[in-house]
């Protein structure tokens, strides 16, 4: 594994993320932080979308729930950051197992719609759940940054942790893809019935992939909302974010590992440009939607798919 | 010969149609059993009932002594029963080697990835695909895809291989080649249950034949015996009673 | 013997990637009833569909009245007098008997003498006349088959190709249909028939082709073929 170039390419990416903002202004760090969040969401989404072929439109529910658990543990129960993150990750993964029992029997369009249903149901629940602030949400006191050395250092710690989560996501995608489990997932994505006839334990594998795709976004959510010191249902369960994650994954190339990262970078650039442009500021999401349609119709393999077809030798280096 | 597969009193109804009715037959170790019958006789349904795609309404299926009636397809595969499809189902986006590796990973032996690749290699070589291992499955011809379907099932090292019209659409050279491959497979100890419309091929390959008509077993026995059974002849050639002798 | 009305040479066809016909050659003489027999799935229906044009042949030629019509669309062949009565009849179930017959006379060739031809058809198929305003879907199996043939005849064909006449019909109904075909034959119609029941096919046709595994197995006048063990071999391989 250590001999394969891609292992080191991921390591390099993490190093770049870690080193780049030092000595530069805060804007770069914030921009890279957002990119890291997108890459985390897209990479984990890819496990279901690119590998197993199941489109999870409501994947944001893991991010939002992770945020809520973490904010609750820290703000209301007074736990430290590390235990809160671990517990949030565990709680959301367990929740994913439960959701999975309900919806993984469905296929195609029905599954996709059901994932939206899960997100909306959780959002509705949280909006009416007083211990979690209901529709107003929860504010965190800035005192919570003190154990980390105050707001300034805390933001840096959070940044590095998010970069670490992004790195773990990329390595997770990589190891899964090269494992027997990953082969099974890919065969499910190609032809689920034929995979079952060959002995792939499809219910178990889908449940595993779905739960695995929840863990890291949950932790990332915990970090993200802790950083903002505020969480409310509308932000935590915003479907546009998971839709954007899908666009990113498909733009970069579903089923590849570089794809989500490449897509995230390009999408963030595009988004930044659109938001500052006078014509498109309000149409940013429309553009995302149109982009998704175009990709699905004409280039379902995304950019990496195009590169691999044009230069097959790239496959030996990248994944 | 001990019975590897036992089908007892198997029945299946789809709405108003009795697709399979009280079917009984066995497949022994090291045997090639041919399943024939006119179109719509229920042959593919029998396969689907055995490997768990549908659950029967009544009856029993036992494989290697274990009751597999209505068991999910992946469990049946784990026990050592592999199956190919009439319309081939390759993993189109994967290479030939990866396709076979899936078979090797999740079959009876539940091999780890590295060992599975070796088994996949062997299976691909057995059907003559060793030079196309890195080719994407979708680039193969129909003959190639049929061989891939076979290799993928073989890679799982099954005890029983169920073949659904594996010769359909092949030209005579390809048919002859495939027949040789099937004989080699049987020589390695894999039992075969096959559905086939190419009558000359299945009659020459099979040790025994079971004839199905309208979901029921019509006849059973050695190929020569079955081909001369008047009930079978009538099922295929039609009822001679339809003809009223008229003055010419 | 003059040039056959229909000549098929080396016909190859299939569905998607799967080749079903591997070079079929046959001929239908004018004024005769030629039959094609063979087991299920050997390519009988595929052959008819390739001749009629509803399936594009991959190779070979179809000659009708000496003209190469291989690549023509079905309606162009109908306009030249080659009509297919398809397997399963494929009637317009919600339309009446008469409307179905009207649909059969769609081409320009058929529009000429439409009224006279309709009367002629009704004279031949009295049962259809009795039910002319009845919905086709409510007819019995035999009547539906009759209607399918009649609809084909409305196009004023010289050659009628019928796919599976006896399927699902009682012997007495089949014989009634054959009697009608006989009288049409005596009026000069050429008929090609695919028939599931070998005995029936042989007893009623002038010439027979036996197909096995997408190829011509044997051919000849039925009297010569009937007794030969090859027929059983074509179906059962042994």
């Amino acid at each position: 594994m250590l001999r394969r170039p891609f292992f080191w390419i991921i390591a390099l990416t993490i190093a770049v993320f870690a080193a780049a903002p030092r000595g530069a202004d805060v804007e770069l760090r914030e921009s890279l932080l957002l990119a890291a969040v997108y890459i985390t969401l897209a990479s984990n989404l890819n496990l279901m979308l690119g590998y197993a072929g199941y489109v999870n439109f409501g994947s944001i529910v893991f991010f939002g729930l992770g945020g809520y658990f973490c904010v609750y543990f820290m703000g209301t129960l007074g736990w430290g950051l590390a235990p809160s993150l671990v517990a949030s990750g565990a709680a959301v993964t367990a929740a994913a197992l439960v959701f999975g029992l309900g919806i993984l029997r469905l296929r195609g369009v029905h599954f996709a719609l059901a994932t939206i249903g899960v997100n909306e149901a959780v959002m509705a629940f949280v909006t009416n759940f007083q211990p979690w602030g209901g529709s107003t949400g929860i504010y965190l006191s800035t005192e919570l940054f003190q154990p980390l050395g105050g707001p300034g250092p805390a933001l840096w710690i959070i940044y590095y942790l998010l970069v670490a989560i992004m790195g773990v996501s990329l390595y997770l995608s990589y190891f899964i893809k090269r494992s027997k489990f990953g082969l099974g997932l890919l065969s499910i994505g190609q032809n689920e019935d034929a995979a079952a006839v060959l002995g792939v334990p499809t219910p178990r594998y889908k449940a595993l992939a779905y739960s695995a795709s929840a863990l890291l976004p949950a932790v990332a959510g915990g970090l993200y909302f802790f950083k903002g010191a505020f969480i409310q249902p509308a932000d935590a369960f915003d479907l546009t974010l998971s839709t954007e994650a899908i666009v990113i994954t498909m733009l970069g190339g579903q089923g590849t590992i570089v794809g989500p990262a490449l897509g995230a970078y390009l999408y963030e650039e595009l988004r930044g440009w659109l938001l500052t442009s006078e014509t498109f500021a309000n149409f940013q999401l429309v553009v995302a939607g149109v982009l998704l349609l175009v990709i699905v119709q004409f280039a379902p393999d995304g950019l990496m798919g195009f590169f691999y077809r044009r230069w097959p030798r790239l496959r030996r280096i990248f994944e | 010969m001990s019975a590897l597969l036992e089908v007892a009193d198997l029945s299946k109804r789809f709405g108003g149609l009795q697709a399979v009715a009280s079917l009984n037959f066995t497949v022994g170790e090291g045997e090639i059993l041919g399943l024939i019958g006119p179109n719509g006789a229920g042959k593919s349904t029998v396969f689907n009932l055995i490997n768990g795609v549908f659950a029967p309404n009544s009856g029993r299926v036992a494989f290697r002594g274990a009751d597999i009636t209505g068991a999910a397809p992946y469990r049946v595969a784990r026990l050592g029963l592999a199956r190919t499809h009439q319309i081939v189902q390759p993993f189109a986006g994967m290479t030939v080697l990866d396709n076979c590796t899936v078979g090797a990973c999740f079959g009876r032996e539940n091999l780890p990835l590295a060992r599975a690749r070796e088994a996949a290699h062997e299976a691909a070589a057995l059907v003559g695909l060793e030079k196309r291992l890195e080719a994407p499955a979708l680039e193969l011809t129909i003959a190639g895809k049929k061989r891939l379907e076979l290799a993928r099932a073989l890679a799982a090292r099954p005890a029983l291989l169920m073949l659904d019209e594996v010769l359909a659409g092949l030209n005579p050279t390809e048919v002859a080649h495939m027949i040789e491959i099937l004989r080699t497979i049987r020589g390695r100890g894999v039992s075969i249950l096959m559905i086939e419309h190419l009558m000359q091929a299945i009659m020459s390959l099979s040790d025994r034949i079971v004839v199905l008509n309208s979901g029921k077993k019509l006849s059973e026995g050695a190929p020569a015996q079955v081909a001369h059974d008047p009930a079978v002849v009538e099922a295929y050639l039609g009822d001679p009673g339809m003809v009223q002798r008229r003055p010419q | 013997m003059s040039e056959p009305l229909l000549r098929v040479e080396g016909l190859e066809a299939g569905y998607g990637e799967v080749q079903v016909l591997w070079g079929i050659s046959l001929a239908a003489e004018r004024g005769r009833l030629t039959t094609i027999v063979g087991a299920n799935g050997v390519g009988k229906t595929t052959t008819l569909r390739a001749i009629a044009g509803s399936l594009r042949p991959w190779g070979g030629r179809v000659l009708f009245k000496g003209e190469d019509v291989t690549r023509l669309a079905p309606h162009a062949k109908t306009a030249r007098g080659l009509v297919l009565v398809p397997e399963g009849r494929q009637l317009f179930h919600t339309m009446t008997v008469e409307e179905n017959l009207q649909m059969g006379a769609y081409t320009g060739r058929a529009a000429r003498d439409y009224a006279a031809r309709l009367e002629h058809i009704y004279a031949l198929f009295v049962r259809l006349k009795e039910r002319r305003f009845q919905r086709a879907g409510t007819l019995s199996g035999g009547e539906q088959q009759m209607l399918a043939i009649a609809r084909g005849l409305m196009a004023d064909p010289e050659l009628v190709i019928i796919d599976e006449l006896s399927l699902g019909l009682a012997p007495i109904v089949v014989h009634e249909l054959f009697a009608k075909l006989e009288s049409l034959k005596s009026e000069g119609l050429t008929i090609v028939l695919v028939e599931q029941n070998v005995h029936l096919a042989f007893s009623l046709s002038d010439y027979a082709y036996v197909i096995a595994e997408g190829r011509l197995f044997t051919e000849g006048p039925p009297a010569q073929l009937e007794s030969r063990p090859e027929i059983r071999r074509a179906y059962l391989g042994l």
Side-chain angles (χ1 to χ4, degrees), chain B residues 12 17-23 36-43 46 211-218 235:
Chain B
K12 181 67 179 177
L17 175 70
Q18 189 73 36
V20 177
S22 296
L23 184 62
I36 66 174
N39 255 16
K43 310 186 291 285
V46 170
V211 186
L212 227 58
N213 195 17
S214 302
K216 296 195 192 61
K217 183 165 71 175
L218 188 61

Side-chain angles (χ1 to χ4, degrees), chain A residues 98-146:
Chain A
V98 173
F99 298 151
L101 280 172
I103 69 174
L104 285 169
R105 265 173 241 263
L106 305 167
R107 300 240 196 140
V109 155
H110 299 109
F111 173 79
L113 289 174
T115 61
I116 297 177
V118 166
N119 187 58
E120 298 304 291
V122 169
M123 180 159 90
F125 173 77
V126 171
T127 311
N128 292 298
F129 190 54
Q130 288 316 315
W132 279 9
S135 54
T136 4
I138 307 177
Y139 282 90
L140 284 180
S141 141
T142 42
E143 275 174 24
L144 287 166
F145 291 134
Q146 290 307 89

Side-chain angles (χ1 to χ4, degrees), chain A residues 218-230:
Chain A
V219 177
L223 281 166
Y224 184 79
F225 287 105
F226 169 59
K227 169 175 173 287
F230 170 60

Side-chain angles (χ1 to χ4, degrees), chain B residues 12-136:
Chain B
K12 181 67 179 177
R13 227 193 155 74
F14 292 110
L17 175 70
Q18 189 73 36
V20 177
S22 296
L23 184 62
N24 289 285
F25 71 89
T26 60
V27 180
E29 303 251 8
E31 177 175 43
I32 296 184
L33 184 74
L35 188 61
I36 66 174
N39 255 16
K43 310 186 291 285
S44 279
T45 308
V46 170
F47 268 28
N48 286 331
L49 289 170
I50 293 174
N51 95 317
V53 176
F54 306 133
N57 294 121
S58 62
R60 214 175 79 97
V61 181
F63 181 62
R64 299 170 81 197
D67 189 333
I68 61 165
T69 319
Y74 69 89
R75 281 199 218 282
V76 173
R78 273 299 160 88
L79 288 170
L81 201 160
R83 183 226 166 125
T84 67
H85 299 90
Q86 191 175 347
I87 301 172
V88 289
Q89 315 258 14
F91 298 129
M94 290 178 162
T95 62
V96 166
L97 182 62
D98 281 342
N99 265 269
C100 296
T101 309
V102 176
C105 272
F106 298 101
R108 180 164 48 145
E109 291 169 338
N110 203 3
L111 296 168
L113 199 54
R115 294 260 307 282
R117 281 203 204 284
E118 284 167 26
H121 230 113
E122 277 173 40
L126 209 146
V127 305
L129 282 174
E130 67 276 10
K131 300 232 171 67
R132 319 253 5 236
L133 289 172
E134 293 304 317

